[in-house]
Structure formats: C-alpha cells, structure tokens
C-alpha cells in the first residue's frame, strides 16, 4: 500500500500541480488575469447571482392564451373560406377548445367540409410518438353542424413551438439590453429561465420580458363617434381600444390588420428632427412596405392607429401615401422608453404572454458583502481546523493540513475547469468540506494508532491503517454523495450550487486523503525511518477507553422517543416559519441610505398600501431591514405588483439589496420537490447500505437518520428559524453526514462480528463504538469548528442554514452511538444464544459490563 512507482508518483504530482494551476487565476482580479500569456489557464470560477448581484427570473407561458389566439385565427379562417366558397353559414363561434359553425343549406355540408379540410390536416410529423400531429379534429355527428376541436397533441405541439419561439424572442430582448453573459434557458414544457448577472435595474428587465409586443397598424373607424360606440355597441368588425395616456383615451379601431410587427426588419430609437422628441423609427420588409403603401394611398385624410398589445400608442392622420416602407412612431416617450420599445420591436412579438412566477434579485452591494463574509468564514474555519489537526496528531496533522490545502485547491480548480457557478451556499459547502475532509485522515490516523497499539511495527501499522480504512472511507462518502446527487437533481439556483460544490468536495476528499496523504506519509517514512509514530500535543480520547454505552440504551431510546414525539407534535400544532420558497410571497431586504433604519416607520407606511400581511424586522446591522409580504390572492401578477408598491414607497430612503418573489405555482412545486428529495435520498441510502451490509444495518441506519431529520425539524419549530430551500439543503446534508458517522460505527461492528464469533452483541457494540470514539469525536469537532465559523462570520443570509447544520452534526453524532448501534440488538443481529454470556470473558475479547 505504501509503495509508489516513479510513474505513479509523477502522475499524482502532475494532478496536484494541474489543479493548483487551474485554481490560481481565482487569486487575482480579472484584469490581471487577462494580461497573462495565452498559454496560461485564465478561467475563473463563475460567481452566482447571490455573489455578484443580478436577477433570476422564471417566466411561465399560459397555454390558454395560445388556445384563445388559435380560436380567433380559426374562426377568421373558417369565415374567409366559407365566403370564398359562397357557402351560407350561421352560428360561427368559438369557446373552450372548439370552434363550431352551422351550414344553412344541408346540400352544401360536403362542400363546406372540403373547403375546411386543411384545418384537420397534420401540422407536423415525427415530433410526437413518431407520427403526425393533427391539431384539430372534426366532429360532424350533428346534422349540419361542423365542430372543430383542438386535440391534446395539437395543443402540446403549439405550446412547444410557441415556447421555442418565445425563447428566441426573450434571448434577443435580453441581448439587446447589453448585459454581460445572460443565461436564457428552457425549463419544462412551459417555462423560460432568465439569469442576468450584474443587472442594476431588474424592473426594466421585467417590463421588457412581460410585454407580448404584438405591434399592428390598423385603421381608425370614423363611421361613428367613439362615445356612441361606448354607450351602445361598436359596429361589426370594429372594437374600442384605449391609449397609453393617463387618463386613457378611447378609440374605435377596425379589427382588420393592415401590417403587423412580423413585417418589421428594423426599429431604432431616435429623435424627431422638428420637435426633438424621442421617437421610434421603423422599416418594413418588401411585403410590409407594399401593403402599408397601398393602405395609406387608399386612405389619405383618414386616421390610422399604431397599436402595441391592444393599446393605442398613437393615431396620426394619413396626409399623403407612405411609400418608402419606413416611418416613425411618436408618443409620450422618454429616451429610455423609446429605446425599450425599439428593443421589443427588433426582437419580435411573443406568441403568448409570459408571466413572472419567480424572481430573485440581489444588488451588487449585498453580493460584495456576501463574498467578504464567505472569505472571512472560510479563512477562520480553515485556521481552526488546521490548528486542531496539528494539536490532535502532531506531524501527521501537519501532513493532513497539506492534503487539506490541496483539497481546497482541487475544489476551486475543478469548479473553474467545469465552469460551475459558485454561490453563497457553495462557499458554505467548501467550508463544510474543509471540516469533513479531515474525517478521512482521522479515520486513517486512528486506525494507524490502533494497529500500532496492537503490536505492529510503525511501517506495518501505517500500511494496515490505510488498507483497512479504505472501505470505511468509500462507504461513508458514498452515502453523503447519494444525498448530494438528489439535492442537485431537485434543487434550484444557489442550492444546486451548494450540491455541486459539496459533491466535488466529497470526490476530492477521497483522492487527497487516501492517495495524496499516503504518498506524503510514504515519502516521510523513507526519509525519516521513524521508530515510533509522531506524538500528539493533546490526546482527546485516551487509548483503552471503555464506556458502557449499551448499558444506557433504554434511557437513550426513551429520551429520543420523547423528543421525537415532541418534535412531531410541535410540527403539527405550531406553525413552522416557512419561507417564501414553500408558502409563496415576497421577501425584500433593504438598507437605509443614511443612519439607522426606522422599522416602525416602514411598518406604518407599508400597512397603508393594502398588500395584506406584512412583517418587518431588523436583519443583521441596524441599518438593514427584512420585509416579508404574504401571498397575494390575485395570482402571479399580483405578487409583482407588491414589489412595485413597496419600491415606490421606500426607494427614496432605502437601497433594495435583495428581492425574492415566489408565486403560488412555484412554491407548491418546491414543497413537493422537497418532500420527494428527502424520500428519494433515504431510499437510495437504504438500498446502498442494504447492499453493503445486512438488512438490520440498513433499517437501523434509516431509523437513526429519520430521528435526526425529525430532531432538526423540531429545532426549526422551536427556534422560529426560517425554513426555506437552504434549510432543505441542510437537512439533506445532515442525512449524508449522519449516515457517514453511522457507517463508520457499522463498519467496525461488521469487522468485529467476523473477528469475535462468540462475543455477546452488546459487548461487541461497546467495543466497536469505543474503538471508533476517537474518530467520532475528532471528526465532529472539526466539522463543528468549520460550521461555527460560518454561523459567526458567514452572514445573515445563510445563518439559518448553518445553524441547522451545526445542530444536525451534534444529533447525528449522538444518533450514531445511541440509536443506530443499539437498534442492532433490537433487530437480533446476532442470535440470543450468542448474547447470553454478557460480562463473561470471551476468547479474543474483553469483559464489559452492560
């Protein structure tokens, strides 16, 4: 195990050097890195929106808008085709998912079917189920009545096509804003995710993304005064639309579209040469120019309307034919609004309205504070762990610290190489892996010490220690990895960033602890040729400790049962402080521009806005305030209205550092995903442990883990900490950590079962726990030191996450000893006949009172 060929040593050192080189650019600014030679790796970690600031917006397309639009189009097409075929009809109407028309002459029914046959022709082939897609089916069961019904496959096809088109339009709109490296991705069947780093004005982005931008040029109907149309009924083929003015002005508009935005080839914000007012100049393609020229030639002296999303922008008079294919749109524009309209027109119209169902915006100031807090917590956590390892193991601890530094460099290097996004919880993940990375070293070192106490030479003890620790290291890290993979699969945003960082940390831990540390130890052995293992300044658990843990198992079972029942009762009777991730609503963090924030004044001003339940509390420093607004009854759009109202009320005196809005659709899905995530993680771990051990171990591990989850949920109820997506990440990480601890004990139990065939089970379990007690203690302390640094210095944003982790580590350690191990007795892991001689000396073991 300790022999390394020259080739293998070179490969290991090359791997370490490569990761250090990949990580190095992150130590310098982007401008400094850009000046380096081309052959030097320059890729840096991508910072998440919560660190560099920016907006995360999730848009949902409503299929009902598409169906409604298709109903109108189909109705117009039926009208046109029947008129062209000179077929009499009546009762042409559309509702729900069908359009129907009654043919007045029974003898023309077949002719009508022929004229309308194209409506039922396939619209696509090979997209779904390998066959063609029939958008509409014909129902002619009633004599003379033709009913065209939209099929499920047709709706799915239209939705998919519209979403693809919307994705292109949204991407063009975002790119037109000139932002840096925006991300526009399709999510599911009806959603688009937009992430814009460094965005300073999220409201402008939402305004641009939320508009359909359907531009049309239509004639104004001057056959009757608009007021008469409002009081009575508009003429057939015309509708009343309103302008964008305040107050809005009504216009009677002909439904017939002269030219639409589809015929635009360019639109630019400019200024009117005569009035110097901002306007939008546009240019049509050849088809649009011809139609616009013909319409203006035929209607000189009349009014035509420029309409955007059913609102009249302007309604100028046609003084002369416009034949050049270009013109200007004037209105009450500012320079910015004119530019935004030009952006919308250049990008094209959306086929359906997109609604913001989730928004998470972080100001650049908060991002800088988070980076600083993360760095401080990381440095302090690292120093605490490094010092502790040296105190616990002396020179071997120094070797472990070198491996720990390489471990951190490998995480950062791999994150840079993969282009993964580093989020604030991701920084927490790095700090947490610093605490947990030493676990593998502790496992190895404790095994080496044990083998040395059993009489092996230094070299034999070290070789055997590495060899026997490998299986335990793999088993314990695989269980953590299962929970992390589930977290990545079902998590979103920063939580997914934590999962990526933590997963990479788990993988690099195995390499640095088992391979790199082993290499350093082998080099030390060859050069120093020690006669004894290095002495540690402090011994935390004396050798030969024999604590009768199983003797108090009934008391610990009773205590855990009472606490678990209490936690469940509290959860069912006391409302847990769910964050907006799970109950919807808005969360706004503001910072006073001058002096201390006046919470009473904020609460009073917001209570007058009629926005429902509002909670205002101090958050961190005296000038920081956190505002929570409950879910609105008006649906997704109402949630966005709340932000506009709050911003309008407070923006003069407060900076908006963070805004999170989660609509009812997303909050319900996140709650469902959270439940599924925990169940899948537990199932995956159960299967793995069952595969690696016997069924008693698997069931015992799951019961102990469920105990830790229940305790953690009770902790949230009692403390009133906010339970959000990060809290869910904490629980899933606790599941992995608790299993990690339990697997170490179980692995020793399994080893002792083979070694001591006749030892009573309670005595054997006491042996196993005492033999691994030093490892359990040292690992728990190092992890808690790292978490304590996060709690104290990591900032308010992740405090609930790190507090839950700290609590979970404590109870995870407790459950591994007092729940998981005694359950093996309850499940009769060894027959009663073998456990009857408790307290009697047994060959290969020692007498232990239980």
């Amino acid at each position: 195990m300790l022999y390394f060929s020259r080739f293998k040593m070179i490969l290991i050192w090359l791997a370490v050097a490569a990761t250090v080189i990949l990580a190095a650019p992150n130590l310098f600014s982007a401008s400094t890195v850009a000046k380096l030679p081309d052959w030097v790796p320059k890729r840096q970690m991508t910072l998440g929106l919560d660190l560099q600031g920016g907006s995360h917006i999730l848009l949902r397309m409503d299929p009902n808008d598409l169906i409604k639009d298709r109903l109108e189009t189909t109705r117009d097409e039926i009208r046109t085709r029947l008129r062209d075929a000179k077929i009499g009809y009546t009762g042409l109407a559309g509702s729900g998912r069908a359009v129907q028309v009654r043919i007045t002459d029974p003898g023309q029914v077949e002719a009508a079917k022929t004229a309308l046959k194209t409506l039922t022709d396939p619209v696509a082939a090979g997209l779904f189920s390998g066959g063609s897609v029939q958008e509409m089916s014909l129902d002619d069961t009633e004599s003379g009545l033709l009913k065209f019904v939209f099929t499920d496959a047709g709706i799915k096809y239209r939705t998919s096509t519209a979403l693809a088109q919307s994705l292109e339009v949204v991407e063009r709109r975002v790119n037109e804003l000139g932002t840096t490296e925006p991300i526009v991705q399709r999510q599911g069947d009806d959603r688009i995710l937009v992430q814009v780093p460094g965005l300073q004005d999220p409201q402008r982005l939402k305004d641009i993304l939320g508009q359909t931008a359907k531009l049309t040029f239509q004639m104004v109907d001057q056959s009757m005064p608009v007021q008469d149309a409002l009081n009575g009924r508009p003429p057939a083929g015309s509708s009343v639309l309103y302008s964008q003015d305040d107050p809005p002005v009504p216009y009677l508009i002909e439904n017939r579209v002269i030219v639409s935005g589809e015929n635009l080839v360019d639109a630019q914000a400019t200024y009117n040469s005569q009035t110097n007012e901002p306007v939008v100049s546009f240019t049509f393609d050849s088809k649009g120019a011809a139609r616009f020229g013909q319409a203006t030639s035929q209607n000189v002296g009349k009014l035509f309307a420029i309409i955007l999303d059913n609102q009249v922008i302007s309604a100028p008079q046609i003084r002369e034919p416009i034949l050049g294919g270009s013109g200007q749109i004037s209105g009450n524009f500012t320079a910015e609004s004119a530019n935004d309209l030009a952006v919308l027109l250049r990008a094209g119209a959306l086929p359906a309205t997109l609604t913001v169902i989730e928004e998470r915006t972080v100001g650049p100031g908060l991002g800088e504070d988070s980076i600083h807090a993360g760095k401080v917590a990381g440095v302090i956590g690292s120093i605490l762990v490094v010092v502790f390892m040296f105190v616990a193991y002396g020179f071997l601890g120094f070797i472990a610290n070198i491996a720990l530094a390489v471990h951190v460099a490998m995480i950062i290097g791999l994150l840079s190489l993969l282009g993964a996004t580093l989020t604030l919880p991701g920084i927490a993940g790095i700090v947490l892996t610093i605490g947990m990375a030493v676990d593998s070293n502790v496992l190895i070192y404790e095994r080496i010490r044990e083998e040395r106490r059993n009489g092996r030479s230094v070299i034999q003890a070290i070789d055997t220690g590495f060899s026997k620790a490998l299986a335990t290291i793999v088993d314990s890290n695989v269980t953590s990895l299962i929970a992390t993979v589930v977290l990545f699969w079902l998590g979103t945003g920063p939580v997914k960033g934590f999962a990526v960082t933590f997963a990479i940390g788990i993988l690099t831990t195995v390499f640095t602890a088992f391979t790199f540390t082993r290499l350093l130890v082998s080099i030390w052995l060859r050069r120093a040729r020690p006669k004894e293992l290095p002495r540690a300044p402090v011994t935390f658990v004396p050798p030969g400790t024999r604590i009768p843990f199983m003797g108090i198992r009934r008391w610990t079972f009773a205590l855990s049962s009472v606490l678990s029942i209490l936690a469940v009762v509290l959860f069912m009777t006391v409302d847990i402080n769910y964050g907006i991730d799970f109950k919807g609503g808005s969360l706004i963090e503001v910072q006073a521009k001058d002096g201390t924030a006046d919470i009473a004044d904020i609460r009073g001003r917001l209570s007058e806005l009629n926005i429902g339940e509002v909670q205002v509390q101090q958050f961190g420093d005296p000038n920081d305030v956190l505002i929570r607004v409950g879910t609105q009854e008006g649906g997704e759009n109402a949630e966005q209205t709340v932000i506009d109202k709050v911003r309008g009320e407070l923006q003069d005196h407060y900076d908006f550092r963070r805004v999170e809005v989660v609509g009812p659709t997303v909050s319900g899905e996140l709650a469902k995903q959270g439940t599924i995530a925990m169940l899948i993680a537990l199932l995956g771990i159960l299967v793995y442990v069952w595969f690696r051990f016997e069924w008693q171990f698997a069931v015992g591990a799951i019961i102990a883990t469920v105990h830790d989850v229940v305790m953690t949920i009770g902790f949230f109820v009692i403390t009133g900490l906010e339970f959000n997506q990060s809290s869910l990440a904490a629980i899933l990480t606790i599941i992995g950590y608790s299993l990690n601890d339990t697997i170490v004990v179980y692995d020793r139990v399994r080893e002792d079962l083979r070694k001591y065939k006749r030892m009573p089970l309670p005595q054997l379990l006491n042996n196993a726990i005492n033999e691994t007690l030093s490892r359990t203690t040292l690992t728990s302390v190092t992890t808690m030191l790292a978490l304590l640094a996060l709690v104290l210095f990591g900032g308010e944003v992740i405090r609930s996450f790190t507090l839950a982790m700290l609590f979970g580590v404590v109870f995870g350690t407790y459950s591994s000893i007092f729940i998981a191990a005694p359950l093996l007795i309850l499940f009769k892991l060894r027959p009663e006949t073998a456990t009857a001689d408790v307290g009697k000396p047994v060959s290969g073991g020692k007498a232990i009172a239980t």
Side-chain angles (χ1 to χ4, degrees):
M1 289 290 289
L2 294 176
Y3 172 74
F4 288 86
S5 65
R6 185 176 297 276
F7 178 71
K8 192 173 183 179
M9 290 178 63
I10 291 173
L11 285 180
I12 294 173
W13 284 113
L14 283 176
V16 172
T19 53
V20 170
I21 292 172
L22 288 171
N26 294 282
L27 298 174
F28 307 99
S29 64
S31 58
T32 303
V33 172
K35 298 176 183 178
L36 296 174
D38 292 338
W39 55 269
V40 176
K42 300 180 181 180
R43 194 164 190 173
Q44 295 177 304
M45 286 186 295
T46 303
L47 297 182
L49 298 183
D50 55 347
L51 293 178
Q52 64 171 317
S55 286
H56 161 112
I57 295 176
L58 187 61
L59 303 163
R60 180 176 180 269
M61 184 182 66
D62 189 355
N64 292 326
D65 288 350
L66 292 174
I67 295 174
K68 181 180 178 182
D69 186 58
R70 288 295 298 157
L71 283 175
E72 294 178 2
T73 303
T74 303
R75 189 169 60 241
D76 292 342
E77 190 171 352
I78 290 174
R79 180 186 297 112
T80 301
R81 289 178 182 273
L82 292 181
R83 285 179 178 175
D84 290 345
K86 296 183 172 45
I87 298 174
Y89 65 91
T90 185
L92 176 59
S95 62
R97 294 171 55 170
V99 179
Q100 64 181 29
V101 62
R102 186 173 295 278
I103 308 302
T104 53
D105 183 0
Q108 290 186 308
V109 170
E110 291 303 322
K113 289 182 181 180
T114 302
L116 302 175
K117 183 179 180 302
T118 55
L119 295 177
T120 58
D121 288 344
V123 293
L127 292 179
F128 303 100
S129 303
S132 62
V133 176
Q134 186 179 18
E135 184 180 14
M136 306 190 77
S137 61
L138 174 61
D139 180 4
D140 58 353
T141 53
E142 185 176 342
S143 178
L145 182 68
L146 302 181
K147 182 183 290 187
F148 295 89
V149 182
F150 286 98
T151 64
D152 292 336
I155 293 175
K156 187 175 181 180
Y157 165 76
R158 285 293 174 188
T159 303
S160 178
T161 304
L163 190 67
Q165 181 182 344
S166 299
L167 193 67
E168 294 178 4
V169 173
V170 168
E171 193 166 7
R172 286 198 295 267
R173 290 183 184 181
V174 174
N175 289 335
E176 288 281 357
L177 291 175
T179 53
T180 305
E181 297 183 358
I183 297 173
V184 181
Q185 294 176 341
R186 176 173 179 163
Q187 283 202 342
D189 296 329
D190 60 353
R191 296 179 189 182
I192 295 175
L193 173 65
V194 180
Q195 291 185 336
V196 186
L199 185 69
Q200 301 293 326
D201 187 1
Q203 187 58 45
R204 184 184 176 204
L205 175 65
K206 287 189 292 182
D207 291 341
I208 288 177
L209 296 180
Q211 292 191 55
T212 307
K214 184 175 289 186
L215 181 73
T216 58
F217 295 79
Q218 298 169 228
M219 296 303 300
V220 176
D221 189 343
Q222 298 175 275
S223 62
M224 66 183 300
V226 66
Q227 197 60 43
D228 293 347
L230 287 171
N231 296 332
R233 187 175 180 180
S238 296
S239 304
V240 176
L241 300 179
Y242 290 86
S243 70
Q244 296 179 327
D245 301 311
D246 187 17
V249 178
Y251 288 90
L252 185 61
I253 306 296
E254 294 182 6
N255 294 340
R256 181 175 59 91
V257 175
I258 300 173
V259 190
S260 70
E262 296 176 358
N263 300 115
L264 283 177
V265 293
D266 190 27
Q268 297 290 336
T270 183
Y271 289 91
N272 187 300
S273 58
Q274 298 177 346
T275 64
N276 204 34
E277 293 178 346
V279 295
V280 177
S281 62
F282 61 86
T283 305
F284 287 122
D285 58 17
S286 57
K287 181 180 178 181
R291 294 179 63 178
F292 194 62
Q294 182 182 10
T296 53
S297 298
Q298 295 173 352
N299 294 280
V300 173
K302 296 182 180 180
L303 301 177
F304 79 98
I306 303 172
I307 300 167
L308 180 70
D309 291 343
N310 289 325
Q311 285 189 307
V312 178
I313 297 178
S314 61
Q317 185 180 32
I318 303 174
R319 301 188 184 279
E320 58 185 15
I322 304 175
L323 304 177
S326 61
Q328 289 183 346
I329 301 174
S330 60
N332 296 322
F333 293 130
T334 63
E336 185 175 84
S337 63
N339 184 67
D340 288 349
L341 177 58
V343 167
L344 291 171
L345 297 182
R346 285 199 303 271
L350 291 168
T353 304
L354 295 175
T355 304
V356 177
I357 59 175
E358 181 185 8
E359 175 196 354
R360 301 181 190 271
T361 298
V362 175
L366 180 59
E368 292 175 3
D369 292 348
S370 297
I371 293 175
H372 176 72
K375 287 180 178 178
V376 170
V379 170
I380 293 176
S382 300
I383 291 174
L384 290 175
V385 172
V386 165
V387 171
F388 181 81
M389 284 299 292
F390 182 77
V391 169
Y393 290 105
F395 181 76
L396 288 179
F398 174 73
I399 291 178
N401 289 333
I402 296 176
L404 187 63
V406 171
H407 163 76
V408 175
M410 292 191 78
I411 293 178
I412 296 174
L414 288 173
L415 286 173
S416 303
L417 179 65
L418 298 174
T421 300
L422 179 67
T423 62
L424 183 57
I427 293 179
I430 293 177
V431 178
L432 182 58
T433 59
I434 290 173
M436 294 183 64
V438 298
D439 173 53
S440 298
N441 288 109
V442 170
L443 274 170
I444 294 168
Y445 289 171
E446 287 303 308
R447 200 66 196 235
I448 291 173
R449 284 178 171 179
E450 184 180 339
E451 296 298 328
R452 180 63 179 142
R453 286 195 297 267
N454 289 338
R456 295 182 185 271
S457 67
V458 172
I459 295 178
Q460 288 176 333
I462 292 175
D463 190 57
T464 306
F466 274 102
S467 178
K468 288 188 175 182
L470 178 59
T472 307
I473 292 172
V474 171
D475 284 335
S476 60
N477 281 286
V478 166
T479 53
S480 295
L481 191 61
I482 291 173
T484 308
V485 169
V486 173
L487 190 60
F488 176 80
W489 179 33
L490 294 176
T492 59
V495 174
K496 185 168 286 191
F498 168 79
V500 171
T501 304
F502 198 60
I504 291 175
I506 291 172
L507 297 175
T508 56
T509 294
V510 177
F511 171 80
T512 55
F514 188 75
T515 303
F516 186 64
T517 302
R518 189 158 51 93
L519 174 62
L520 295 179
V521 170
S522 69
I523 293 173
W524 167 68
L525 283 174
R526 284 201 307 271
R527 294 188 176 183
R529 299 186 180 278
K531 302 298 182 181
E532 190 53 73
L533 293 175
R535 300 180 69 90
V538 178
T539 300
F540 289 91
V541 179
T545 299
R546 289 292 180 263
I547 302 174
F549 292 103
M550 295 304 101
I552 59 171
R553 65 180 183 275
R554 293 177 178 83
W555 293 100
T556 56
F557 275 162
L559 175 63
S560 293
S561 299
V562 170
L563 291 177
S564 298
I565 292 171
L566 180 62
V568 172
V569 170
L570 285 174
F571 176 73
M572 297 178 67
T573 56
V574 179
D575 289 335
I576 193 170
N577 183 19
Y578 285 112
I580 63 170
D581 292 333
F582 298 127
K583 69 178 182 180
S586 306
L587 183 147
I588 307 162
E589 183 183 342
V590 298
Q591 186 177 71
K593 294 181 178 179
D594 297 306
T596 303
D598 189 339
I599 294 179
D601 176 63
I602 294 175
R603 189 178 288 116
R605 291 164 69 177
L606 296 184
S607 63
E608 298 176 358
L609 297 180
N610 192 29
I611 55 177
E613 178 189 358
V614 178
Q615 297 177 9
V616 183
Q617 67 184 71
Q618 186 177 330
F619 186 72
D621 296 332
N623 57 341
D624 291 335
V625 175
L626 196 66
I627 302 168
R628 288 187 178 88
V629 183
T631 306
Q632 304 298 298
E633 296 181 356
E636 314 288 354
N637 290 324
E639 303 289 352
Q640 292 297 318
T641 303
V642 165
I643 301 300
D644 296 339
K645 289 182 177 180
V646 174
R647 192 182 294 274
E649 186 67 29
L650 302 179
Q651 64 183 354
D652 291 339
H653 301 94
Y654 294 89
D655 291 322
F656 282 66
R657 289 162 62 83
R658 176 165 58 119
V659 175
E660 296 185 12
V661 183
V662 179
T665 302
V666 173
S667 62
E669 291 174 353
L670 291 176
K672 181 181 178 181
Q673 284 180 349
T675 305
I676 293 173
M678 279 196 286
L679 293 176
I680 291 177
L682 289 173
L683 180 62
I685 291 167
L686 174 67
V687 171
Y688 179 79
V689 177
W690 202 322
F691 174 76
R692 292 286 291 141
F693 298 83
E694 298 180 46
W695 70 266
Q696 291 96 331
F697 290 99
V699 177
I702 292 300
I703 292 176
T705 305
V706 171
H707 164 271
D708 297 338
V709 171
V710 171
M711 290 294 100
T712 306
I713 292 175
F715 174 74
F716 275 103
V717 175
I718 293 173
T719 59
L721 290 173
E722 182 179 298
F723 190 86
N724 50 31
Q725 275 203 95
S726 295
S727 307
L728 179 62
I731 288 179
L732 285 170
T733 309
I734 289 168
I735 289 174
Y737 180 86
S738 176
L739 262 296
N740 183 308
D741 219 7
T742 301
I743 290 299
V744 171
V745 175
Y746 277 181
D747 194 73
R748 182 56 65 94
V749 171
R750 180 175 59 177
E751 181 180 329
D752 286 353
L753 283 170
R754 300 191 189 107
K755 187 185 299 183
Y756 309 125
K757 301 292 186 182
R758 296 179 57 248
M759 179 180 287
L761 187 56
Q763 182 176 332
L764 185 141
L765 293 175
N766 274 331
N767 267 0
I769 295 173
N770 279 287
E771 288 167 354
T772 57
L773 187 60
S774 180
R775 173 267 164 198
T776 300
T777 303
L778 295 177
T779 297
S780 298
V781 171
T782 53
T783 306
M784 284 190 280
L785 287 174
L787 286 171
L788 194 61
L790 283 171
V791 171
L792 297 177
F793 306 104
E796 290 288 339
V797 177
I798 59 171
R799 182 150 294 161
S800 63
F801 168 79
T802 50
L803 276 173
M805 281 295 305
L806 189 58
F807 177 86
V809 167
V810 173
F811 263 85
T813 304
Y814 163 84
S815 68
S816 298
I817 296 172
F818 295 105
I819 303 297
L823 282 172
L824 298 178
I825 301 175
L826 185 65
F827 296 150
K828 296 180 171 34
L829 179 62
R830 177 171 279 181
E832 291 292 337
T833 54
T835 64
D837 300 325
V838 179
K840 296 181 181 180
V842 180
S843 177
K846 296 180 181 180
I848 298 179
T850 60

